[in-house]
Amino acid sequence: RLLLAGALGVVALAVYQFAAFSIFQTGLTRPRRGADQVFWLAADGARLVGMNLVHGLLVMMLARPGAGDSAAAGPGWPDETSLVVAAAAVNAAVNLADEGVLLWVRLEPDLFKTIGTGAWTTHGRVMVAARVALYLVTLAGAAAALLGRRPAVGRRLLVGAAAGLLALSLYGYARSTL
């Protein structure tokens, strides 16, 4: 119960902070309007989900009826595994939204008053395409696995997408620090 209460507290506080800052814009000296507001809602929303995914999973696992039972769900996986796969799909979806608003800024920079971008290089285009492709593979793998249609295919897609996203993250980290 203490673990559930703590996780709920973290998620509730994060949602409150997102609403106060990103939606109601409490404390901003220059309120965001129009396309800028849409951009920041998507970007802040993606960060909200990504940064609180573990606590959200913990809440979902501990709050469900029969938490701790070994009952299986979906394609014969434990409930916890299905929840992790669902969380990966949610994370991929919000990251696709984040990539979408970044692309919007690049394609229509005149719409944005406070957001700008530098030159869009071939490297940048390739990295965006790779991330988008891996997020789509994650969604396809989660759908195949969770809907029970093709759990083996879903598992392979999920492992491949996870390995690809980890490799891209390591590459980005190495490139930025070296």
Side-chain angles (χ1 to χ4, degrees):
R1 290 182 199 172
L2 188 58
L3 190 57
L4 176 59
L8 273 170
V10 168
V11 171
L13 182 60
V15 169
Y16 168 77
Q17 288 174 328
F18 171 78
F21 184 74
S22 298
I23 296 172
F24 301 114
Q25 302 184 41
T26 305
L28 290 182
T29 55
R30 288 183 47 191
R32 302 166 180 159
R33 303 272 184 249
D36 288 7
Q37 176 64 359
V38 173
F39 172 88
W40 284 112
L41 283 172
D44 291 346
R47 272 189 294 287
L48 169 76
V49 171
M51 291 173 60
N52 294 285
L53 205 50
V54 171
H55 291 96
L57 275 173
L58 193 56
V59 168
M60 288 189 292
M61 289 190 309
L62 295 175
R64 66 184 167 75
D69 293 349
S70 60
W77 291 349
D79 288 346
E80 291 80 3
T81 303
S82 295
L83 286 171
V84 169
V85 170
V90 168
N91 189 56
V94 298
N95 277 299
L96 280 172
D98 192 35
E99 293 289 348
V101 294
L102 289 170
L103 181 61
W104 186 26
V105 172
R106 292 205 181 273
L107 294 176
E108 299 189 71
D110 295 338
L111 291 176
F112 299 88
K113 308 295 182 239
T114 62
I115 302 162
T117 62
W120 203 13
T121 65
T122 301
H123 176 267
R125 289 182 178 122
V126 169
M127 295 303 288
V128 167
R131 283 192 305 271
V132 166
L134 289 168
Y135 294 139
L136 291 172
V137 170
T138 300
L139 289 171
L146 293 175
L147 297 176
R149 308 254 186 231
R150 306 198 99 182
V153 171
R155 182 183 302 262
R156 283 192 288 277
L157 290 172
L158 287 165
V159 168
L165 288 166
L166 284 171
L168 281 180
S169 292
L170 289 172
Y171 167 75
Y173 176 76
R175 190 168 194 268
S176 70
T177 57
L178 300 177

